[in-house]
Amino acid sequence: MILSVKNLCIAIDGKPAVRDLTFSVAAGEVLGVVGESGCGKSMVNMALMGLLPDGVSASAERMEACGIDLLRARSRDWRALRGGNMAMIFQNPMSALNPCLTIERQLTESVLHTHGGMSRASARAEALRLLDRVGIAHASARLKSYPHELSGGMAQRIMIAMAVASAPQLLIADEPTTALDVTVQAQILQLLEEIRQDTGMAMMMVSHDIGVIEQCAHRVQVMYSGQIVESGNVGEVIASPRHPYTRGLVAAQPGRNGQRPKSRLTTIDGSVIPITEEVEGCRFRSRCSRTDHHCVQPPTMQRTEANSHRESRCHW
Amino acid sequence: MLRTIGLRRLLEVATTLLGVSLLAFFLIRVAPGDPVLLLIGERGSDPEQYREMAAHLGLEQPLIAQYLQFVANALQGNLGVSVVSQQSVIEELLARWPATIELGVSALLIACVLGIPAGVIAAVYRNSVADFLIMTVSIFGYSIPVFWWGLVLILCFSIGLDITPVAGRIDILYDIAPITGFMLVDTLAPQVVQEYGFSAFGSALAHLALPALTMATIPLAVFARTTRSSMLEVLSEDYVRTARAKGLSEFWVIWRHAFRNALIPIITVGGVLFVTTVITGAILTETIFAWPGVGRYIVNSVYARDYPVIQASILLIGIFVVLVNGLIECVYRAINPAVGRDSAN
């Protein structure tokens, strides 16, 4: 396993937010994480990268990535891991690039971090190769550009180039296409898939868009309010969702399976409860259409079929 | 596009300077006090003698005519003659300007070198003891009255410890020919070093120390506070997170990625401080330390109602402010290339 997490809990100012997350990613695998904004997806990413902001703390029974115990990692280990075997790309590529530095400075910085004693000239050559790899035309001219001179899609390609500079074993993609046009979105997903096939890296693709996850992930886990509520093979989960929340997500997709979009889109009633709020029983209960007396008990993840890896946090 | 920006700027500058000239000319004439009386003595003055003096100074003409004359002369580079010394105003001012600039720049350098790192430290270790100490000291620094602070420094270092001189720019032992007008530079000229060694430079430095420190206190506090708030804002930006996610060390993250972006507000404040330090700071500090600069000259001219000197000084200060602002804008563009684009839109 490239990434193995057991009972990860994240607390904001001491209040539990993410609760007992257990999951793993195998080499070369793409794990999709889907859930509404504010369900704790990004916080999980930050915990995995050791970048949680002040006041947010993580604890776990086990958290290992690329053979390193993240629970014991010191700041030096973190730095080696971040620019090495683990890399991350972000939601808004325009603000994720430093407006004051040229693409060359930002890209060679990543290259030099990976290859310590490399000369400026060969770092530049490597940067050109990376730009070419992520499909940027006129790479040498682009090196001199500043971020404000780029389009969103181009900026995300450059973020990807920076991330894969160290040939990571695991790439965490935090909503990489959310801020982009739909056409660009497809190109970026395709690029990530190409790179993954070339390098065999594993990926954790986080999105609130189940369509994106369906396109690129092998397995999916659905998060709701700080918990995993369903997990399994992507095709199976989307074809026959078990948890009422997953059903809602899938049903809310317009024009699924080539159907004509309905005139009114399906929604999930109610709104997400704040992630730090304590709830008795199932956290989805207040929005669920199928509640009964079982739902006041905190639900656990249960196998849904005898001989598959699918699990759901619902008794139905 | 660039040309239209240039043209617009030029128009702005012209209007600014026109406004400054109006203020400079009329404000001093509205103020109580009469230069003629100050010159010939208030008591027992002969009306005939008064008229003669007024005519000699050009004060008997209508105000509008006087103003137009002033502007016409100023446009030709003639700012008139000092009522008191009968010397050309421009020569008197230019001779004093280097002393003021030397003091102001030194003060601002001290403020930058101490204040900016202090602000960065306060931001990076926010809510720590260091942050609390830096912010407390800076509040004091900001609130200290300059004239009192200057006197305290004199009491401590000049009278108590006897390590710094009290007044002037250099010991009278040294005869330094002005080359640049900046004492620190002129005392390093080959012929000076040949004659006195580096003792002249040392003397100039010792004379500069206290007034520069006095003047630096307020800007230092402002720099520390501005840097802190600007850094705090930048440190929460996405690109700082990116830099950390690249595995860069915290040192690089702070100085290369965060600090550079935090510089814009710091430079804006720095520009304002430069102007206020050099001008208003000079007036107080130069008076306390008998520093022969523009500030003290203006104060003395106001006492004497030396109209031409006051007008010319204010006009020159106006030009100075405009120049500094232009310079700051150039620096912005050099630091953050996105700035030029924004202001052009």
mmCIF file of all heavy atoms in Angstrom, chain A residues 148-175:
data_model
loop_
_atom_site.group_PDB
_atom_site.id
_atom_site.type_symbol
_atom_site.label_atom_id
_atom_site.label_comp_id
_atom_site.label_asym_id
_atom_site.label_seq_id
_atom_site.Cartn_x
_atom_site.Cartn_y
_atom_site.Cartn_z
ATOM 1 N N HIS A 148 -0.053 35.640 -13.987
ATOM 2 C CA HIS A 148 -1.223 36.379 -14.473
ATOM 3 C C HIS A 148 -1.325 36.372 -15.993
ATOM 4 O O HIS A 148 -2.335 36.791 -16.545
ATOM 5 C CB HIS A 148 -1.212 37.810 -13.923
ATOM 6 C CG HIS A 148 -0.176 38.687 -14.539
ATOM 7 N ND1 HIS A 148 1.058 38.888 -13.966
ATOM 8 C CD2 HIS A 148 -0.179 39.406 -15.686
ATOM 9 C CE1 HIS A 148 1.771 39.697 -14.726
ATOM 10 N NE2 HIS A 148 1.046 40.040 -15.773
ATOM 11 N N GLU A 149 -0.261 35.915 -16.641
ATOM 12 C CA GLU A 149 -0.300 35.861 -18.106
ATOM 13 C C GLU A 149 -0.826 34.526 -18.622
ATOM 14 O O GLU A 149 -0.874 34.308 -19.828
ATOM 15 C CB GLU A 149 1.113 36.107 -18.657
ATOM 16 C CG GLU A 149 1.613 37.503 -18.344
ATOM 17 C CD GLU A 149 3.117 37.655 -18.506
ATOM 18 O OE1 GLU A 149 3.848 36.669 -18.333
ATOM 19 O OE2 GLU A 149 3.562 38.768 -18.785
ATOM 20 N N LEU A 150 -1.215 33.631 -17.713
ATOM 21 C CA LEU A 150 -1.652 32.297 -18.115
ATOM 22 C C LEU A 150 -3.162 32.145 -17.974
ATOM 23 O O LEU A 150 -3.793 32.843 -17.199
ATOM 24 C CB LEU A 150 -1.001 31.235 -17.232
ATOM 25 C CG LEU A 150 0.516 31.256 -17.087
ATOM 26 C CD1 LEU A 150 0.934 30.243 -16.047
ATOM 27 C CD2 LEU A 150 1.168 30.967 -18.419
ATOM 28 N N SER A 151 -3.711 31.164 -18.732
ATOM 29 C CA SER A 151 -5.110 30.805 -18.516
ATOM 30 C C SER A 151 -5.163 29.805 -17.366
ATOM 31 O O SER A 151 -4.146 29.240 -16.970
ATOM 32 C CB SER A 151 -5.666 30.171 -19.782
ATOM 33 O OG SER A 151 -5.013 28.943 -20.017
ATOM 34 N N GLY A 152 -6.362 29.582 -16.845
ATOM 35 C CA GLY A 152 -6.524 28.666 -15.725
ATOM 36 C C GLY A 152 -6.042 27.265 -16.059
ATOM 37 O O GLY A 152 -5.353 26.618 -15.261
ATOM 38 N N GLY A 153 -6.383 26.787 -17.260
ATOM 39 C CA GLY A 153 -5.983 25.446 -17.659
ATOM 40 C C GLY A 153 -4.472 25.327 -17.735
ATOM 41 O O GLY A 153 -3.879 24.343 -17.284
ATOM 42 N N MET A 154 -3.832 26.378 -18.300
ATOM 43 C CA MET A 154 -2.384 26.352 -18.415
ATOM 44 C C MET A 154 -1.741 26.372 -17.027
ATOM 45 O O MET A 154 -0.768 25.660 -16.771
ATOM 46 C CB MET A 154 -1.928 27.563 -19.218
ATOM 47 C CG MET A 154 -1.043 27.150 -20.361
ATOM 48 S SD MET A 154 -0.197 28.542 -21.054
ATOM 49 C CE MET A 154 -1.441 29.331 -22.006
ATOM 50 N N ALA A 155 -2.319 27.192 -16.137
ATOM 51 C CA ALA A 155 -1.773 27.274 -14.784
ATOM 52 C C ALA A 155 -1.869 25.904 -14.100
ATOM 53 O O ALA A 155 -0.938 25.473 -13.426
ATOM 54 C CB ALA A 155 -2.523 28.322 -13.973
ATOM 55 N N GLN A 156 -2.989 25.196 -14.323
ATOM 56 C CA GLN A 156 -3.118 23.887 -13.683
ATOM 57 C C GLN A 156 -2.131 22.902 -14.286
ATOM 58 O O GLN A 156 -1.564 22.074 -13.574
ATOM 59 C CB GLN A 156 -4.563 23.381 -13.796
ATOM 60 C CG GLN A 156 -4.877 22.170 -12.931
ATOM 61 C CD GLN A 156 -4.685 22.436 -11.447
ATOM 62 O OE1 GLN A 156 -3.575 22.611 -10.962
ATOM 63 N NE2 GLN A 156 -5.778 22.490 -10.706
ATOM 64 N N ARG A 157 -1.873 23.011 -15.589
ATOM 65 C CA ARG A 157 -0.856 22.146 -16.202
ATOM 66 C C ARG A 157 0.500 22.391 -15.551
ATOM 67 O O ARG A 157 1.273 21.467 -15.316
ATOM 68 C CB ARG A 157 -0.763 22.414 -17.709
ATOM 69 C CG ARG A 157 -1.900 21.775 -18.485
ATOM 70 C CD ARG A 157 -1.872 22.191 -19.948
ATOM 71 N NE ARG A 157 -3.136 21.863 -20.586
ATOM 72 C CZ ARG A 157 -3.358 20.713 -21.224
ATOM 73 N NH1 ARG A 157 -2.401 19.817 -21.322
ATOM 74 N NH2 ARG A 157 -4.536 20.470 -21.751
ATOM 75 N N ILE A 158 0.782 23.668 -15.277
ATOM 76 C CA ILE A 158 2.072 23.983 -14.660
ATOM 77 C C ILE A 158 2.133 23.461 -13.230
ATOM 78 O O ILE A 158 3.151 22.934 -12.786
ATOM 79 C CB ILE A 158 2.338 25.493 -14.745
ATOM 80 C CG1 ILE A 158 2.740 25.811 -16.180
ATOM 81 C CG2 ILE A 158 3.424 25.932 -13.783
ATOM 82 C CD1 ILE A 158 2.676 27.238 -16.548
ATOM 83 N N MET A 159 1.003 23.562 -12.526
ATOM 84 C CA MET A 159 0.955 22.974 -11.180
ATOM 85 C C MET A 159 1.250 21.469 -11.256
ATOM 86 O O MET A 159 1.955 20.917 -10.413
ATOM 87 C CB MET A 159 -0.426 23.182 -10.556
ATOM 88 C CG MET A 159 -0.730 24.596 -10.093
ATOM 89 S SD MET A 159 0.396 25.190 -8.834
ATOM 90 C CE MET A 159 -0.042 24.134 -7.452
ATOM 91 N N ILE A 160 0.686 20.820 -12.281
ATOM 92 C CA ILE A 160 0.905 19.378 -12.434
ATOM 93 C C ILE A 160 2.380 19.111 -12.735
ATOM 94 O O ILE A 160 2.997 18.213 -12.162
ATOM 95 C CB ILE A 160 -0.008 18.797 -13.545
ATOM 96 C CG1 ILE A 160 -1.468 18.892 -13.102
ATOM 97 C CG2 ILE A 160 0.370 17.362 -13.859
ATOM 98 C CD1 ILE A 160 -2.474 18.552 -14.178
ATOM 99 N N ALA A 161 2.963 19.964 -13.607
ATOM 100 C CA ALA A 161 4.386 19.801 -13.924
ATOM 101 C C ALA A 161 5.226 19.906 -12.659
ATOM 102 O O ALA A 161 6.164 19.136 -12.444
ATOM 103 C CB ALA A 161 4.812 20.860 -14.939
ATOM 104 N N MET A 162 4.881 20.883 -11.801
ATOM 105 C CA MET A 162 5.624 21.059 -10.558
ATOM 106 C C MET A 162 5.464 19.837 -9.660
ATOM 107 O O MET A 162 6.402 19.392 -8.999
ATOM 108 C CB MET A 162 5.141 22.307 -9.820
ATOM 109 C CG MET A 162 5.826 23.551 -10.304
ATOM 110 S SD MET A 162 5.092 25.122 -9.798
ATOM 111 C CE MET A 162 4.241 24.749 -8.343
ATOM 112 N N ALA A 163 4.230 19.299 -9.644
ATOM 113 C CA ALA A 163 3.950 18.171 -8.759
ATOM 114 C C ALA A 163 4.674 16.915 -9.222
ATOM 115 O O ALA A 163 5.173 16.152 -8.399
ATOM 116 C CB ALA A 163 2.441 17.931 -8.691
ATOM 117 N N VAL A 164 4.748 16.692 -10.543
ATOM 118 C CA VAL A 164 5.349 15.438 -11.004
ATOM 119 C C VAL A 164 6.858 15.572 -11.209
ATOM 120 O O VAL A 164 7.512 14.633 -11.632
ATOM 121 C CB VAL A 164 4.678 14.913 -12.306
ATOM 122 C CG1 VAL A 164 3.204 14.663 -12.058
ATOM 123 C CG2 VAL A 164 4.895 15.861 -13.458
ATOM 124 N N ALA A 165 7.417 16.744 -10.886
ATOM 125 C CA ALA A 165 8.858 16.955 -11.047
ATOM 126 C C ALA A 165 9.655 15.921 -10.267
ATOM 127 O O ALA A 165 10.730 15.512 -10.676
ATOM 128 C CB ALA A 165 9.244 18.357 -10.590
ATOM 129 N N SER A 166 9.126 15.499 -9.129
ATOM 130 C CA SER A 166 9.875 14.561 -8.298
ATOM 131 C C SER A 166 9.462 13.111 -8.561
ATOM 132 O O SER A 166 9.847 12.234 -7.798
ATOM 133 C CB SER A 166 9.648 14.898 -6.828
ATOM 134 O OG SER A 166 8.265 14.784 -6.535
ATOM 135 N N ALA A 167 8.699 12.876 -9.614
ATOM 136 C CA ALA A 167 8.171 11.533 -9.906
ATOM 137 C C ALA A 167 7.575 10.896 -8.656
ATOM 138 O O ALA A 167 8.065 9.891 -8.143
ATOM 139 C CB ALA A 167 9.255 10.634 -10.489
ATOM 140 N N PRO A 168 6.511 11.482 -8.109
ATOM 141 C CA PRO A 168 5.959 11.005 -6.839
ATOM 142 C C PRO A 168 5.268 9.646 -6.993
ATOM 143 O O PRO A 168 4.838 9.288 -8.081
ATOM 144 C CB PRO A 168 4.930 12.081 -6.487
ATOM 145 C CG PRO A 168 4.520 12.650 -7.801
ATOM 146 C CD PRO A 168 5.730 12.600 -8.682
ATOM 147 N N GLN A 169 5.203 8.926 -5.884
ATOM 148 C CA GLN A 169 4.446 7.668 -5.892
ATOM 149 C C GLN A 169 2.969 7.926 -5.650
ATOM 150 O O GLN A 169 2.126 7.113 -5.986
ATOM 151 C CB GLN A 169 4.963 6.739 -4.791
ATOM 152 C CG GLN A 169 6.345 6.211 -5.077
ATOM 153 C CD GLN A 169 6.847 5.354 -3.928
ATOM 154 O OE1 GLN A 169 6.080 4.832 -3.131
ATOM 155 N NE2 GLN A 169 8.152 5.199 -3.860
ATOM 156 N N LEU A 170 2.691 9.072 -5.004
ATOM 157 C CA LEU A 170 1.294 9.390 -4.713
ATOM 158 C C LEU A 170 1.041 10.865 -5.024
ATOM 159 O O LEU A 170 1.764 11.737 -4.565
ATOM 160 C CB LEU A 170 0.986 9.123 -3.229
ATOM 161 C CG LEU A 170 -0.403 9.554 -2.745
ATOM 162 C CD1 LEU A 170 -1.491 8.723 -3.419
ATOM 163 C CD2 LEU A 170 -0.517 9.435 -1.235
ATOM 164 N N LEU A 171 0.014 11.110 -5.831
ATOM 165 C CA LEU A 171 -0.376 12.487 -6.119
ATOM 166 C C LEU A 171 -1.747 12.729 -5.502
ATOM 167 O O LEU A 171 -2.698 11.994 -5.778
ATOM 168 C CB LEU A 171 -0.433 12.730 -7.633
ATOM 169 C CG LEU A 171 -0.920 14.117 -8.059
ATOM 170 C CD1 LEU A 171 0.118 15.165 -7.707
ATOM 171 C CD2 LEU A 171 -1.218 14.163 -9.545
ATOM 172 N N ILE A 172 -1.826 13.744 -4.672
ATOM 173 C CA ILE A 172 -3.112 14.109 -4.107
ATOM 174 C C ILE A 172 -3.656 15.268 -4.918
ATOM 175 O O ILE A 172 -3.016 16.324 -5.019
ATOM 176 C CB ILE A 172 -2.976 14.504 -2.626
ATOM 177 C CG1 ILE A 172 -2.419 13.326 -1.831
ATOM 178 C CG2 ILE A 172 -4.319 14.947 -2.067
ATOM 179 C CD1 ILE A 172 -2.192 13.635 -0.381
ATOM 180 N N ALA A 173 -4.801 15.056 -5.543
ATOM 181 C CA ALA A 173 -5.378 16.102 -6.386
ATOM 182 C C ALA A 173 -6.628 16.627 -5.685
ATOM 183 O O ALA A 173 -7.632 15.936 -5.589
ATOM 184 C CB ALA A 173 -5.716 15.547 -7.758
ATOM 185 N N ASP A 174 -6.533 17.840 -5.160
ATOM 186 C CA ASP A 174 -7.628 18.413 -4.380
ATOM 187 C C ASP A 174 -8.504 19.268 -5.295
ATOM 188 O O ASP A 174 -8.168 20.400 -5.588
ATOM 189 C CB ASP A 174 -7.040 19.257 -3.241
ATOM 190 C CG ASP A 174 -8.109 19.686 -2.247
ATOM 191 O OD1 ASP A 174 -9.301 19.459 -2.520
ATOM 192 O OD2 ASP A 174 -7.741 20.251 -1.204
ATOM 193 N N GLU A 175 -9.571 18.699 -5.774
ATOM 194 C CA GLU A 175 -10.479 19.382 -6.699
ATOM 195 C C GLU A 175 -9.719 20.048 -7.842
ATOM 196 O O GLU A 175 -9.863 21.256 -8.060
ATOM 197 C CB GLU A 175 -11.304 20.443 -5.949
ATOM 198 C CG GLU A 175 -11.996 19.887 -4.724
ATOM 199 C CD GLU A 175 -13.502 20.052 -4.784
ATOM 200 O OE1 GLU A 175 -14.017 20.381 -5.868
ATOM 201 O OE2 GLU A 175 -14.151 19.825 -3.765
#
